[in-house]
Amino acid sequence: TILSLGSGPAFLERMLVKLGIKQENITLSDIDPEILPADFKSVNVDINGDWENLKEEKFDLIIFPESYLAVSLREDSVGIDGEQFFGQLDKQNKKKEDDLYKTIVQSLKHLKDGGVIRITGHAGHVYEDIVSAVTQRLAQEGQTVEISYRKSLVEIKKKN
């Protein structure tokens, strides 16, 4: 079973169906529920919020949109000096760490043992430290997960 967050009009999910995944095994979610096609099962989930609408449902695979890991500096960083810029960047990175941590914790509640969470995107080297910090936080809590990170993919496997 698959939970596809930020799925939009389900272009990827329709391709998965063509490749043999049963449509009834795919659940869609998007910030704009109006865009979700009616012929797929869907649920309203705020990626950065609580996932209470999923109740106790668990999935083998949870996938996130490419935009989830996007690194963008706020417009208010234009024209500030270097020290202020890096101070602001540190705050943004801490927020991204907290957001990623919370999102992974929410995902793990809805992931079957042996399941996988895949978060793709063009993140660059900035996320190495963020993913490392999140990995440490999860380990301190005794989460039995394996996290791998490549430049454009964070993959979390829930161990049995």
Side-chain angles (χ1 to χ4, degrees), residues 131-156:
V131 171
S132 177
V134 168
T135 302
Q136 289 174 4
R137 287 170 72 173
L138 291 168
Q140 289 171 349
E141 293 179 357
Q143 293 279 359
T144 54
V145 297
E146 178 184 318
I147 299 179
S148 62
Y149 172 74
R150 292 186 294 271
K151 194 171 192 172
S152 60
L153 174 68
V154 176
E155 186 172 81
I156 303 103

Side-chain angles (χ1 to χ4, degrees), residues 30-59:
D30 196 90
I31 195 166
D32 179 5
E34 302 281 322
I35 200 169
L36 297 170
D39 58 330
F40 276 87
K41 179 180 170 186
S42 64
V43 63
N44 189 11
V45 173
D46 175 1
I47 290 176
N48 293 314
D50 292 323
W51 295 18
E52 58 193 31
N53 291 347
L54 287 173
K55 301 187 184 349
E56 299 297 317
E57 194 165 358
K58 296 200 181 251
F59 301 89

